[in-house]
Structure formats: structure tokens, C-alpha cells
Amino acid sequence: MEQEVVSQAALAGSVAAHDMSIFSLVMNADIIVKAVMLMLVLASVWSWAIIFDKFRLMGRLKRRADDFENRFWSGGSLEELYDAISERADHPMAQVFAAAMGEWRRAKAKGTALTDATSRANLRQRIQQVMEIALNREMAGLERNLGFLATVGSTAPFVGLFGTVWGIMNSFTSIAMTKNTTLAVVAPGIAEALFATAIGLVAAIPAVIFYNKLSSDVGRYGARLENFTGEFGALIARQIEDRR
């Protein structure tokens, strides 16, 4: 009994001799595991940078869209509104408006005759096309980098798992070489391996959560742009009919 107590004390002392801090786990890990950890940390940092940037961007765009819609529906002249924002259309709704008004202005400047149904239909079609092009371009900009969050969320756990499997393989190799199955030999390698999986989860979980949130926000903003495009297109169509 006394020998067993002594053996357990020696084992505990042997395990304690190994530094199990996070810094030690990283520095003592195999080069492959270190590469996996570094890759996951960089992916996590970049994911958070995208998250903060997108949240700031969406908040700013919503405020500017509110202000623009208030001015648009205030009953003022659309020509005056275009003159005021054409040089600094710095948000998607203003870009869509400026694209349509620019095409309308060009048609007026050329003196395009709108006396027949075909010419009116052609002008409406051109205005609708430039609005759709502007909308698609702006939406593509808003969705930029969201794919990276989706990729990190779906692949980071598996990348971390690869580091874990590699680390466990090294642990078993150490056991085979030393022919020692004590906890002091096994524990450090297992801890290093599992730490890679932990980093993978730390990178993946926020990426998935905020990808879903930001995708929802971008989708709602896109629906708002489409509604504005439809309403403005109908308004332009009425003005075209009034000019015949």
C-alpha cells in the first residue's frame, strides 16, 4: 500500500513537472500542429475583423438609407435631389437612384422622342436595366467576405481535428519509442492535440453565428433596395408617360 502511494505521488510529480500552460502546449507541439494552430488563429482574427467591419457598415448604410428615403418621399424635386447626391452617392440606395436618374437625364439631353409606345418602353427598359445593374453591383459589395465566414465556420473544426489526430499520432509514437505508458508521457501530447481542436471550435463558432446574422441583415437590406427599385421604377414610368 505504501509503495502504491509512493508510486502515485511520483507519477503526480512527474506530470506536474511538465508545463501545461497554453504557451507551453503551443511551443512544445509538433511543427504540423503549430501550423494548424497558426492557421486557425489567423482565420479567427480575420473573421472578427470582417464581423466588426460588416456590423459597422450595415449600421451606417441603414442610417443613410433612412435619411435618403425621407428626402426622396418628402415631395421635393427628384431633379434637385439628383443634383445634390449625384457626386457623392455613397450608399447603395443612392447609387441605384443616381443610375436611374442619370439614364433619364441622358435621354432628356438627347431629346429622345417619347411620342410612341416603343420609345417609351425602350426608355423604361433601359432605366430598369441600369437600376438592376447598380443593385447587383452594390449587393455584391455587401456580400463580399461573407463567404470567408462561411468557409471558416464549416472547415475550422475539421482543420483543428486534423491537428488533433496528428498530435495523437505523435503521442502514440512517443509511447512506442519510450515504451512508457505513464500519464507523464501521454498527457502532454494529448493536451497539445486537443488544443488544436479547441482553437478550431473557437474560430468556427463565432464565424457561423455572425455569418447567419450578417447574411440575414444583408438579405433584409437587399429586399429594401429591391422595393425601392420597384417603387422608383413605377414613378419613372409615370413621368415617362406624362412626357408623351
Side-chain angles (χ1 to χ4, degrees), residues 66-98:
D66 291 339
D67 179 67
F68 177 81
E69 285 192 316
N70 290 335
R71 297 175 64 185
F72 181 83
W73 296 113
S74 65
S77 169
L78 296 182
E79 299 282 350
E80 293 178 359
L81 179 58
Y82 175 69
D83 291 334
I85 71 165
S86 59
E87 298 299 327
R88 51 183 183 84
D90 55 357
H91 58 94
M93 193 170 289
Q95 289 284 356
V96 171
F97 171 78

Side-chain angles (χ1 to χ4, degrees), residues 157-223:
F158 296 103
V159 175
L161 182 60
F162 169 75
T164 295
V165 171
W166 189 272
I168 291 176
M169 288 172 56
N170 287 337
S171 296
F172 282 118
T173 301
S174 299
I175 292 172
M177 293 177 61
T178 60
K179 297 181 180 180
N180 188 347
T181 59
T182 62
L183 189 61
V185 174
V186 177
I190 298 297
E192 295 162 7
L194 293 176
F195 189 58
T197 295
I199 296 178
L201 294 175
V202 168
I205 292 172
V208 171
I209 292 173
F210 288 107
Y211 170 76
N212 293 331
K213 166 62 176 171
L214 291 169
S215 294
S216 177
D217 289 347
V218 170
R220 284 195 296 270
Y221 188 81

